[in-house]
Amino acid sequence: MVSEFHSLSEKIAQLAELAQSLRRENAELRLSAAAMATENADLSKRMQEASRRISALLEKMPVPEKDQEAA
């Protein structure tokens, strides 16, 4: 009977250790996800700005004569 309690006690200790490990991993993953979301938002802003700047440059480009006749 004592060995059964000892075995159960060890299993409970292992379970508690696993639960704590999973809590730490979860916290790390939440931080990582938040950092990635911030980076994603920054990259999205940069892409929008690049797209806006490219559109502005394209509008400033002269239209070739061949295309002007078709228009």
Side-chain angles (χ1 to χ4, degrees), residues 47 59 68:
M47 286 183 63
E59 288 177 10
Q68 285 179 346

Side-chain angles (χ1 to χ4, degrees), residues 12-27:
I12 290 172
Q14 289 174 350
L15 181 60
E17 186 179 320
L18 178 60
Q20 185 60 33
S21 173
L22 290 173
R23 282 188 192 107
R24 281 191 300 271
E25 183 180 1
N26 192 22

Side-chain angles (χ1 to χ4, degrees), residues 29-46:
L29 289 172
R30 286 179 190 269
L31 288 174
S32 179
M36 288 182 185
T38 300
E39 182 181 8
N40 187 32
D42 180 53
L43 291 173
S44 179
K45 279 183 184 177
R46 291 174 60 189

